[in-house]
Amino acid sequence: KAKDIRMAHYQEVGTARDKGKLIVTGGTDGFIALPSGLGDYVFLGGEPYGAAVGNDPSFSIECHNAVESRGFARDLCAYLRSYWGSMFLDKYYFGGRFPRPDFCLQMHVCDSQAKWYQQVSEFFNVPYFGIEMPVVFQNRGLDDGVEYLAAQLHEAIEWMCKITSRSYDDEKLIEAVRNECLTQSLWGEIALLNQNIPAPLDQKSLFSLYVIGILIRHKKESVEFYKQLKDEVKDRVANEIAALATERCRILDDCMPPWSFLEIYRYLEKFGAVTVGSLYTFSLLGAFEEAKDLTWSRKKMPEEEGKSLKNRDDALRVLARWYLERPINGSLTLAGDKNPYMLKAVKDWHCNGAMIHLNRGCKLFASGLMENRVALEEAGIPVMTYEGNMGDEREVDKTKIYNNIDAFMDRMGMNKLSEDKAS
C-alpha cells in the first residue's frame, strides 16, 4: 500500500498542471501543509525525489553529469544534484517532462537547502520564499524560536496569496496541521514499537513506510495509512512476527543509506542481523515526548496539551512549536549533543552494535559522525563505519562495504548462517 500511495503522489505531481492544480516545490522537512489554505495543490519534495532518482544509478549519474557539466561542484548535496539534473534535462523520473512549479517554498536548515531552490526559482523564473529554521535544542530558547518561526509563517501566507492571487482558507490550514501532527505522532508510536524483540520491522521496510509521511503528512490519506500501519505493527508485536525470522543480532543504523545499494541490509541478514532503525528514520518524521533521561514516548496531540486550533495564528504557533520540539534538531549541528541520543537509542532498541554511513552526499547529517563513533566505542558498543553517498553511485564501493560488514560481524563473533536458515 505504501508503494501504491507513493506512486499515486508522484503521478499526481506529473499531471497537476493539466488539471489546474498549483505545483509547489521545496524541502519536505519544511512546512508542506502551509499552502493548504490556497486550495488544491501538490508538493514536489526535493529530498524524497532525489532519493528516488538515487535508487536508479543510470538516471542519477545522467543527472549528476548534467549538473557538473554546468560548472557545479561534485561535492554538493547529492539530492540537490539529482533534482537539478532532472530539471536541467527536463526529464521527470516518473514519466514526462519535469513539472514546472508555480513557486518555491523552502525551510532553510542547511546551506544546500538555501541555495537549492534559488537555482530552481531562477531556472523556471518563479517566485521563491525562504523560511529560516532557528536552532532549538532541549527547549533552550523555545519560546523565542516559536515567535520567530510563526512570524515567518504568517509572512509566507501573505506572500503566497499575493503571488497566486488566491484567497486563503484557514479551516483547510487547521485540518492540514492536525493531519500533520497526527501523522508524526503515529510514526513516533510505530518507531517505539520496534523496540520489541524480535523487531516487527527492519530498516529497509521503515524506509518504504516512512516516506508517505514525508510526502503527504498534511493529508487525511497519510493519517489513515499510519493508523492501519500502527495496528499491523502492534499485531506483529503481539504475535511475535519478526521482520527477520533469524534475528540474533540488532544493529542501530545512522544517516541516509546509499539508495543505490539497499542490499547492504539484506547482506546483514545473512548473519542473522536485523537493522532496527536509526535516529534519522525515527525522528525525521516522528514526533516524541522527551523525558529528562532522554526516553521517548508518544507525542500528544495539541488538543491533548490544551492547545486549541481555532484560527490561523493558533495553527501556525502549534506548527512552529511542533517542529522546534523535535528532539533530534540540535544534534544536527553539534556532535556532542547527538552522542547521548545514540547511546540511548542503542539501549532502548536493544542493539548489539551500530553502523554509521560516512555519507559524502550530505554535509549536514555527516557532521560529527566520527565523534559519534568514538562515543559509542568508548561505551563498549561495536561500531562499523563505511564510506558512501546517498545519491551518487560513483562513490559507493560495494565490495569494500561487504568486506567491512564481514569484519564487523567477525568482531562480534558472528558467522553467516547456513543458506537454509538465512532464507
Side-chain angles (χ1 to χ4, degrees), residues 69-343:
S69 69
R70 286 166 170 77
F72 294 102
R74 179 170 171 167
D75 64 353
L76 289 173
C77 167
Y79 287 163
L80 173 153
R81 287 184 288 131
S82 294
Y83 183 109
W84 280 4
S86 181
M87 176 182 73
F88 291 147
L89 295 167
D90 198 19
K91 291 182 180 180
Y92 184 48
Y93 181 61
F94 298 94
R97 302 180 65 180
F98 192 89
R100 184 182 189 276
D102 290 281
F103 62 88
C104 305
L105 180 67
Q106 171 61 28
M107 182 172 73
H108 295 172
V109 176
C110 72
D111 296 340
S112 294
Q113 290 178 328
K115 303 302 290 185
W116 184 332
Y117 295 94
Q118 178 185 347
Q119 179 66 33
V120 176
S121 170
E122 293 173 356
F123 183 83
F124 286 112
N125 191 28
V126 297
Y128 168 39
F129 192 94
I131 298 170
E132 183 181 34
M133 181 70 165
V135 176
V136 172
F137 185 54
Q138 292 183 335
N139 293 338
R140 296 195 293 263
L142 176 62
D143 291 339
D144 289 340
V146 170
E147 290 295 321
Y148 178 62
L149 192 50
Q152 292 183 79
L153 299 182
H154 274 289
E155 185 181 349
I157 289 176
E158 294 175 4
W159 175 85
M160 289 188 296
C161 291
K162 181 178 179 180
I163 62 145
T164 62
S165 299
R166 292 192 180 191
S167 58
Y168 197 85
D169 187 335
D170 290 343
E171 289 300 319
K172 290 182 179 179
L173 170 67
I174 291 169
E175 180 184 2
V177 170
R178 285 200 178 99
N179 289 337
E180 182 160 346
C181 291
L182 186 50
T183 287
Q184 294 188 54
S185 180
L186 287 165
W187 181 254
E189 287 189 77
I190 293 163
L192 294 172
L193 286 170
N194 223 40
Q195 293 175 354
N196 186 72
I197 301 174
L201 299 170
D202 63 355
Q203 178 76 308
K204 197 169 184 294
S205 297
L206 289 167
F207 286 139
S208 296
L209 297 168
Y210 90 140
V211 73
I212 305 306
I214 301 298
L215 295 170
I216 58 166
R217 58 184 175 272
H218 59 298
K219 292 187 175 182
K220 183 179 179 180
E221 299 97 297
S222 176
V223 172
E224 293 304 316
F225 173 78
Y226 287 106
K227 284 180 177 179
Q228 292 179 30
L229 176 60
K230 186 185 77 168
D231 290 342
E232 182 177 337
V233 175
K234 288 176 72 174
D235 182 72
R236 282 174 166 250
V237 169
N239 291 285
E240 297 186 337
I241 300 173
L244 178 64
T246 56
E247 176 184 323
R248 59 175 183 156
C249 175
R250 296 164 67 93
I251 304 297
L252 182 73
D253 199 11
D254 193 59
C255 205
M256 308 85 153
W259 291 109
S260 63
F261 188 41
L262 295 179
E263 300 99 302
I264 185 172
Y265 301 109
R266 293 289 178 251
Y267 190 70
L268 283 163
E269 292 177 0
K270 294 180 181 292
F271 298 87
V274 60
T275 311
V276 297
S278 63
L279 292 179
Y280 173 82
T281 320
F282 298 150
S283 61
L284 188 67
L285 173 63
F288 304 88
E289 302 285 350
E290 181 182 306
K292 289 184 179 180
D293 67 351
L294 304 186
T295 297
W296 289 352
S297 58
R298 180 186 73 87
K299 175 78 170 174
K300 297 182 182 66
M301 287 292 289
E303 289 86 352
E304 294 180 82
E305 296 182 326
K307 298 182 178 70
S308 61
L309 280 77
K310 296 180 179 178
N311 52 49
R312 181 186 302 183
D313 190 59
D314 287 344
L316 296 183
R317 287 178 181 277
V318 161
L319 196 59
R321 185 173 293 272
W322 193 270
Y323 272 69
L324 294 177
E325 285 181 337
R326 290 188 295 183
I328 198 64
N329 279 343
S331 67
L332 296 178
T333 55
L334 297 172
D337 283 336
K338 185 179 176 184
N339 290 340
Y341 284 100
M342 294 287 286
L343 293 166

Side-chain angles (χ1 to χ4, degrees), residues 244 246-251 267-275 351-354 382 402-418:
L244 178 64
T246 56
E247 176 184 323
R248 59 175 183 156
C249 175
R250 296 164 67 93
I251 304 297
Y267 190 70
L268 283 163
E269 292 177 0
K270 294 180 181 292
F271 298 87
V274 60
T275 311
C351 296
N352 306 97
Y402 282 137
N403 290 338
N404 283 7
I405 295 175
D406 289 341
F408 181 49
M409 291 290 107
D410 183 65
R411 178 184 172 192
M412 293 200 293
M414 300 190 66
N415 299 319
K416 287 184 181 179
L417 300 171
S418 61

